[in-house]
Amino acid sequence: MAGTYDRSSEVKAFDEMKIGVKGLVDAGITQIPRIFHHHPHVAEPNPPKPFSTVVIPTIDLGGGIFESKVTRESVVAKVRDAVEKFGFFQVINHGIPLDVMERMKDGTRGFHEQDADVKRRFYSRDITKKVKYNTNFDLYSSQAANWRDTLTTVMAPDVPKAVDLPNICGEIFLEYSTQMMKLGELIFELLSEALGLEPNHLKELDCAKSLSLLSHYYPPCPEPDRTFGISSHTDISFITILLQDHIGGLQVLHDGYWIDVPPNPKALIVNLGDLLQLISNDKFVSVEHRVLANRSEEPRISIASFFMHTIPNEQVYGPIKELVSKQDPPKYRDTTTTEMARHYLAKGLDGASPLLHFRI
């Protein structure tokens, strides 16, 4: 008689090996463990695509230097249109050199492909740790695990010393983060203006102050139809700026359809997070997205730059007063990023918006 499936003990056994899904692939598995199985109706193929091909907008930032007020206003209008329709957009000529982006992907791959004993030193589920590696932040709270490993590094406001970062990627992480902070500030200026606010409004709320890098590694999956790279979710951040490699698999939910976001080696992908939806009082919306399990024969690499405060942080956020009125009263109660993050971690990626918990 087949043994009873005890998810909690299997999760614990996998977690205590500290080898990640990369370790399972290296061990030569041909079937993924049951803890990674998603319900068939969740992992089924996309609904049929609309007749017209829907494409996430691409916006040229011109290196962040705008020749005139008219040029800047044109970019702001494109940003506003993109976030109102999609919640996502791609940026080109964003100021981060292509070689830095390539070295960032190489550094991430290098970390995840080094000896398991070296990686194991960073393995942790302590949410206050500034540098940690693990599989699925919500491994214990989710209904089903996803097929990816992640190195998380807090890069601002307290810039780590190189010695505190993994040797194999510390230098490029510091270089990339410096440039990403500049890009983040520009994006927040454009979003502020798109909301009808002064350019520095979101920056003065410290939205651009804190940066964490989530450096993901998606190994080839022997049973890609049973699981996901990341199941459907919204990001908790103010914004996320994503660097992805050539493999693909990112999809955005748009009008009830999952839309592919094909890789563009020169582009970075910007999406709005739950915190920005809350403070904008739903003027801008955080959109569901997911990553399909990797069908390729090589790993997929992506680096998500999360602009949000790390735990613990007691700064209070609520709908911006300039964006509410008698006709459009606040839709959310005040909260802190710590409270939001703890709620997010406890519920896991279950497909439901974490913001429901904070609605008035």
Side-chain angles (χ1 to χ4, degrees):
M1 190 175 85
T4 304
Y5 172 56
D6 181 354
R7 175 174 173 76
S8 60
S9 64
E10 291 194 20
V11 163
K12 188 171 185 288
F14 166 71
D15 194 37
E16 288 178 350
M17 289 192 292
K18 301 182 179 181
I19 61 170
V21 290
K22 169 75 163 57
L24 297 179
V25 172
D26 290 346
I29 64 160
T30 57
Q31 294 181 318
I32 65 174
R34 191 166 167 181
I35 63 171
F36 293 94
H37 290 194
H38 287 252
H39 293 301
H41 72 279
V42 176
E44 69 185 3
N46 292 351
K49 296 273 178 74
F51 290 116
S52 60
T53 303
V54 179
V55 179
I56 301 300
T58 298
I59 299 173
D60 189 337
L61 295 182
I65 301 168
F66 304 108
E67 294 175 356
S68 66
K69 185 179 178 184
V70 173
T71 305
R72 187 179 179 105
E73 287 174 350
S74 171
V75 172
V76 169
K78 289 174 183 174
V79 168
R80 183 187 305 112
D81 187 59
V83 296
E84 287 179 349
K85 287 181 178 174
F86 291 95
F88 269 75
F89 57 96
Q90 299 194 87
V91 290
I92 55 173
N93 293 321
H94 41 66
I96 300 183
L98 197 57
D99 78 291
V100 172
M101 293 162 64
E102 290 301 315
R103 284 190 286 125
M104 188 65 196
K105 288 182 284 189
D106 289 345
T108 296
R109 183 168 181 161
F111 172 83
H112 286 284
E113 293 185 349
Q114 65 187 331
D115 187 87
D117 287 336
V118 179
K119 289 190 293 183
R120 196 174 277 121
R121 295 206 307 269
F122 295 97
Y123 200 95
S124 176
R125 297 205 171 271
D126 180 350
I127 58 176
T128 65
K129 264 189 174 291
K130 305 293 188 184
V131 179
K132 60 180 175 289
Y133 146 71
N134 60 39
T135 297
N136 293 219
F137 74 89
D138 60 343
L139 183 66
Y140 287 88
S141 57
S142 65
Q143 295 296 308
N146 290 309
W147 200 251
R148 78 180 184 285
D149 297 329
T150 303
L151 170 64
T152 301
T153 50
V154 177
M155 306 303 293
D158 300 322
V159 179
K161 296 183 176 67
V163 294
D164 296 326
L165 296 168
N167 286 338
I168 199 164
C169 57
E171 188 177 324
I172 184 58
F173 275 32
L174 289 166
E175 183 178 353
Y176 183 77
S177 296
T178 299
Q179 306 212 29
M180 180 55 67
M181 290 294 284
K182 292 176 186 173
L183 175 59
E185 290 199 355
L186 173 60
I187 298 292
F188 278 115
E189 287 179 13
L190 299 174
L191 289 169
S192 292
E193 293 174 60
L195 285 166
L197 303 168
E198 291 298 315
N200 286 334
H201 197 111
L202 292 175
K203 289 197 293 182
E204 288 170 357
L205 292 177
D206 289 341
C207 297
K209 183 179 179 180
S210 301
L211 174 67
S212 293
L213 300 181
L214 276 62
S215 302
H216 298 306
Y217 185 94
Y218 303 83
C221 183
E223 294 184 289
D225 292 324
R226 285 189 179 272
T227 192
F228 286 100
I230 302 182
S231 49
S232 178
H233 68 288
T234 56
D235 289 350
I236 192 177
S237 56
F238 291 107
I239 64 170
T240 304
I241 303 180
L242 183 76
L243 167 61
Q244 65 168 344
D245 70 5
H246 60 287
I247 300 295
L250 174 63
Q251 295 184 326
V252 175
L253 190 62
H254 178 69
D255 290 342
Y257 296 95
W258 287 106
I259 306 300
D260 292 322
V261 184
N264 176 344
K266 296 180 180 179
L268 293 165
I269 300 160
V270 181
N271 69 278
L272 309 186
D274 298 329
L275 277 163
L276 190 59
Q277 179 171 340
L278 185 147
I279 65 173
S280 73
N281 208 40
D282 286 354
K283 300 288 189 300
F284 291 162
V285 176
S286 178
V287 173
E288 282 185 58
H289 51 288
R290 68 184 186 184
V291 176
L292 301 179
N294 186 3
R295 296 176 177 274
S296 171
E297 294 183 0
E298 58 181 312
R300 176 182 185 266
I301 305 296
S302 72
I303 298 94
S305 296
F306 269 57
F307 285 86
M308 67 169 287
H309 301 302
T310 53
I311 296 174
N313 184 285
E314 297 309 317
Q315 190 162 343
V316 176
Y317 286 96
I320 295 169
K321 65 179 188 298
E322 288 86 351
L323 302 179
V324 299
S325 63
K326 283 186 177 179
Q327 294 74 31
D328 189 10
K331 296 179 173 67
Y332 301 97
R333 64 175 174 85
D334 287 356
T335 185
T336 64
T337 52
T338 296
E339 185 189 9
M340 280 194 73
R342 291 194 184 282
H343 173 65
Y344 192 83
L345 290 163
K347 71 186 281 298
L349 302 183
D350 60 3
S353 171
L355 288 174
L356 296 173
H357 182 70
F358 301 93
R359 272 201 175 267
I360 294 173

